Each structure stands twice: as structure tokens, then as C-alpha cells.
Amino acid sequence: YPTSRLNVPADAAICREACFAPVAAVVPFDTVDDAVSLARRSPFGLGASVFTADTAAARELAARIPAGSVCVND
């Protein structure tokens, strides 16, 4: 079954190692810059998603995320 893990520390194994299961780790952050920094530390940049009502800000953020593809509000 798909699983979500909430409030995962950024240094947890699920954030550092390959996981071949339908699982999502939700890592808390304080600022957008913190979120980008966390994304840059991950070796797994296949895809990312940004959800917000401010699509201009979302596009700016998407450009900063090092991932193969970044979806905005999708």
C-alpha cells in the first residue's frame, strides 16, 4: 500500500537512500530557501511538485529546484 511519512527529519534514511516502495516522505521546513536547500542536498532529483495559489512565485521556485521535472499545481 502507498505510505506517507510525515515530519521526517531531513537526515533520515528514507531521504538519503533509495527506496523501492510507494512511499512519500514529508520533510518540514521554515522558509522557501530552506526547502530549496533540502532539495539540493538530496541525490534523488527525479521529480518535484509545487502547490500554491501564487503561480508566479511557484514558477520562480520551480526554476530553483534541481529536479528532472517540476510540476506546478498538478
Side-chain angles (χ1 to χ4, degrees), residues 10-67:
D11 61 348
I14 194 169
C15 297
R16 294 179 288 104
E17 300 170 8
C19 180
F20 298 98
V23 63
V26 178
V27 180
F29 59 90
D30 292 319
T31 68
V32 171
D33 288 337
D34 290 342
V36 171
S37 177
L38 289 168
R40 291 185 182 281
R41 289 193 318 208
S42 173
F44 308 108
L46 295 178
S49 296
V50 177
F51 294 92
T52 180
D54 186 343
T55 54
R59 288 190 179 123
E60 287 180 23
L61 175 56
R64 296 175 58 195
I65 297 173

